[in-house]
Amino acid sequence: MSAILSGVWEKEAEAGGRATKIPVTVAYGDGIGPEIMRATLRVLEAAGAPLEYSEIEMGEAVYKRGLTAGIPDSAWESIERTRVLLKAPITTPQGGGYKSLNVTLRKTLGLYANVRPAVSYAPFVRTYHPQMDVVIVRENEEDLYAGIEHQQTDEVMQCLKLVSRPGCERVIRYAFEYARQNKRRKVTCMTKDNIMKMTDGLFHKVFDEIGAEYPEIEQNHLIIDIGAARMADSPEIFDVVVTMNLYGDILSDIAAQVTGSVGIAPSANIGNRAAMFEAIHGSAPQIAGQGIANPSGLLLSAVMMLVHLGQNQLAERIHNAWLCAIEEGVHTADLFTEGMSRAKVGTEEFASTVIERLGQKPQRLKSVRYENVGAFAELAKENTAIKSSKRATKTLVGVDVFVHWKDGCANDLADGLKRIESAELPLTMITNRGVKVWPQGHAETYCTDHWRCRFHANSTMATKRILDLLERLDASGIGFIKLENLYLFDGEPGYSLGQGQ
Ligand code: NAD
């Protein structure tokens, strides 16, 4: 019994004899969403899945009613009750202050691990990489997807990248537990910690720490750029990949496309108390309403959902029927290849083909077995025991003051700031977009109207010194737009140097 089910369904079962159906929330989504959801539910129905659907509305229509989150309260009530959501893709309107509903769902429900398998089905689906069988575990709540953005000057926008130790621990442990349970041999971590030494560096460090608890699993780290290049060129070298939110988003689309189509890749978004299953692709508005979309990504997501719900035999039955359809060359337009495919079918016809093959096993593709696979949430349950970070001794040693300034070059700004610095809190550096431009800047460096001015004390200091500095700064007419205090944590700097410092 999964952690999810230990909620509502189990209680109902205890109260009134066994509940016959498992409650699941369903969202039909936008664009091709309703078509592929109808096809998917038809297959589930035909296979005899004991599910009771609670339908909710979310996405474009809700946004258009003025709800910028794209989801009404009634939908939250349903998800909180069932704790399992099968979701079709939705369209996020561009601009206009609308927030991504996917990001909201993942973060609100604490769905910290996004499990995205990418498997080749050669020779039946055209791919240059017939041996590919990769699972990408994407961190799902943090990173640049915190969505905290500000315009700070006329010329500069900022997006905050937030990475926490518990966030890293949860998803990395999940990836190792997943690898162990599914008898995977290797876990690869990908970050850009040669540049982002603190944020990406933390993810890499936690990977090494947690990896040490799984000595039987081979493990390595790649910088994301070469990692993504290898995923496109030689995906056979990967097994399980764990990576940060943005990198995982991009990498999993590359991986899916390399297997033949983004239309066939499923995903499971897993948290300790809820789970959401969806195809990785979007709402494909260009082909919506034509009945030609591939329902496979959503159908295989529903298969992952059945495993999660402990319905392993059903999951196996549907997945194997799907493999039969694929190896028989019955393909939707995105997979259809002249000479390789046998029939080009629409969404509904494809679903019917899968239904007709329920109970069959593929002859040439490897059939799947879910016999010993536990619920995704069981792995999540392991994660409740997060090592709490020890409290470091935190010492204030300075401040980075960001200013909006357009009245001259770096030396002019330094002259102005020198007039208001104090002996205890002197100006030590100015950078522009991270590059040191004072002291000893280079005339070639292009400067925008956004400057980071570092005031660094020689020893521990009181916050009052910063407040005094800000008052003098304000009175000088230079003004400030934001601050970052500079701390030592157990004597180690908790801030990066300027480029070229
Ligand atoms: P997309 O995934 O919708 O489409 C990319 C390409 O893949 C298109 O050529 C499309 O026709 C094709 N494609 C996608 N799914 C297919 C399927 N099932 N069968 C056949 N072909 C398929 O990506 P996009 O065009 O960048 O995004 C469209 C909209 O979807 C945007 O509003 C975006 O915000 C949204 N989106 C939603 C989700 C989600 O709800 N999880 C994810 C990604 C994008």
Side-chain angles (χ1 to χ4, degrees):
M1 179 74 58
S2 83
I4 304 301
L5 288 184
S6 60
V8 62
W9 189 50
E10 198 172 55
K11 279 197 206 94
E12 275 175 18
E14 278 164 14
R18 280 225 73 77
T20 49
K21 298 211 163 170
I22 308 169
V24 165
T25 302
V26 166
Y28 278 75
D30 302 316
I32 58 171
E35 301 158 50
I36 59 174
M37 182 59 85
R38 275 194 299 272
T40 297
L41 295 186
R42 206 154 64 76
V43 176
L44 291 177
E45 181 83 28
L51 305 176
E52 185 179 275
Y53 305 114
S54 153
E55 207 179 297
I56 56 168
E57 188 193 15
M58 57 169 64
E60 214 171 8
V62 181
Y63 284 122
K64 283 186 178 151
R65 287 209 301 272
L67 286 176
T68 52
I71 176 166
D73 288 346
S74 54
W76 284 120
E77 282 158 25
S78 171
I79 299 167
E80 272 161 24
R81 186 174 59 80
T82 66
R83 299 190 207 153
V84 182
L85 172 61
L86 180 64
K87 176 185 158 292
I90 59 114
T91 303
T92 310
Q94 298 282 310
Y98 299 110
K99 297 300 281 185
S100 161
L101 177 52
N102 294 314
V103 176
T104 303
L105 282 167
R106 290 166 188 161
K107 294 176 67 155
T108 308
L109 297 171
L111 310 179
Y112 59 84
N114 192 331
V115 183
R116 300 184 155 196
V119 182
S120 288
Y121 301 98
F124 309 103
V125 175
R126 190 161 62 171
T127 171
Y128 294 115
H129 301 285
Q131 302 304 326
M132 184 170 176
D133 181 1
V134 179
V135 177
I136 294 169
V137 181
R138 164 187 171 193
E139 194 287 313
N140 222 15
E141 297 176 291
E142 307 197 330
D143 192 350
L144 291 162
Y145 289 64
I148 305 175
E149 294 190 295
H150 294 96
Q151 175 162 6
Q152 298 201 318
T153 67
D154 294 322
E155 296 174 357
V156 174
M157 308 286 176
Q158 176 192 270
C159 179
L160 214 54
K161 174 160 175 158
L162 292 176
V163 178
S164 75
R165 175 171 268 278
C168 297
E169 283 181 13
R170 293 210 294 185
V171 71
I172 290 168
R173 186 169 296 286
Y174 190 91
F176 277 106
E177 285 294 322
Y178 180 92
R180 183 178 269 174
Q181 191 184 61
N182 290 280
K183 304 198 172 27
R184 297 269 178 170
R185 68 194 153 79
K186 179 172 160 191
V187 180
T188 301
C189 173
M190 293 194 200
T191 71
K192 187 76 182 171
D193 67 343
N194 54 333
I195 303 296
M196 284 157 281
K197 295 183 170 33
M198 300 190 69
T199 46
D200 289 33
L202 176 63
F203 198 87
H204 187 172
K205 186 166 183 273
V206 171
F207 176 77
D208 289 342
E209 283 171 17
I210 292 184
E213 297 173 34
Y214 298 83
E216 79 281 13
I217 297 174
E218 193 187 329
Q219 35 201 282
N220 66 341
H221 172 269
L222 287 178
I223 300 293
I224 184 67
D225 32 7
I226 189 63
R230 295 245 167 89
M231 183 63 77
D233 178 63
S234 38
E236 309 79 16
I237 64 171
F238 296 112
D239 194 352
V240 174
V241 176
V242 63
T243 188
M244 303 171 80
N245 205 340
L246 177 62
Y247 310 143
D249 195 356
I250 298 166
L251 196 69
S252 55
D253 265 29
I254 295 175
Q257 192 64 39
V258 167
T259 67
S261 167
V262 290
I264 54 178
S267 78
N269 297 259
I270 303 297
N272 290 340
R273 293 196 31 92
M276 173 172 87
F277 300 85
E278 61 177 346
I280 75 158
H281 61 73
S283 57
Q286 316 89 329
I287 58 167
Q290 297 173 36
I292 58 169
N294 191 344
S296 300
L298 186 60
L299 181 63
L300 295 180
S301 304
V303 166
M304 291 176 95
M305 179 182 77
L306 289 172
V307 172
H308 175 70
L309 296 172
Q311 300 290 316
N312 294 37
Q313 279 186 356
L314 263 177
E316 212 172 281
R317 207 167 127 81
I318 296 174
H319 200 156
N320 281 328
W322 180 83
L323 288 167
C324 290
I326 294 296
E327 71 173 14
E328 285 175 36
V330 183
H331 294 162
T332 43
D334 56 315
L335 296 186
F336 187 85
T337 310
E338 209 63 68
M340 191 190 289
S341 308
R342 193 168 58 79
K344 191 193 277 185
V345 294
T347 313
E348 281 301 323
E349 216 183 322
F350 182 78
S352 301
T353 308
V354 175
I355 290 169
E356 284 158 18
R357 281 146 190 79
L358 286 168
Q360 295 179 22
K361 292 231 167 107
Q363 300 301 306
R364 293 188 55 198
L365 286 170
K366 193 162 170 272
S367 61
V368 292
R369 295 203 60 176
Y370 287 120
E371 204 177 28
N372 295 316
V373 178
F376 289 96
E378 288 301 328
L379 306 179
K381 222 162 59 173
E382 301 297 321
N383 268 332
T384 43
I386 287 178
K387 278 191 252 157
S388 54
S389 340
K390 73 176 178 55
R391 253 200 129 112
T393 306
K394 196 170 157 190
T395 320
L396 183 64
V397 292
V399 64
D400 278 349
V401 183
F402 291 76
V403 303
H404 179 177
W405 197 70
K406 194 71 185 168
D407 299 334
C409 66
N411 288 340
D412 299 330
L413 177 59
D415 287 345
L417 294 172
K418 280 282 184 194
R419 282 196 280 277
I420 55 141
E421 69 176 1
S422 62
E424 299 81 19
L425 192 54
L427 177 72
T428 57
M429 175 182 75
I430 302 177
T431 67
N432 195 290
R433 290 183 300 167
V435 181
K436 182 171 73 86
V437 291
W438 183 92
Q440 289 149 1
H442 292 269
E444 295 79 13
T445 308
Y446 178 76
C447 291
T448 68
D449 58 359
H450 184 269
W451 310 77
R452 185 255 306 256
C453 311
R454 177 162 290 178
F455 294 85
H456 205 297
N458 296 321
S459 58
T460 312
M461 53 173 260
T463 319
K464 175 77 169 63
R465 276 200 202 145
I466 296 178
L467 298 176
D468 292 344
L469 174 74
L470 295 181
E471 266 186 27
R472 293 196 298 275
L473 199 57
D474 201 35
S476 74
I478 296 175
F480 61 92
I481 47 177
K482 127 186 172 116
L483 305 179
E484 295 286 354
N485 288 352
L486 306 180
Y487 294 106
L488 301 180
F489 286 80
D490 287 338
E492 292 297 320
Y495 46 90
S496 56
L497 299 177
Q499 295 288 346
Q501 192 181 8

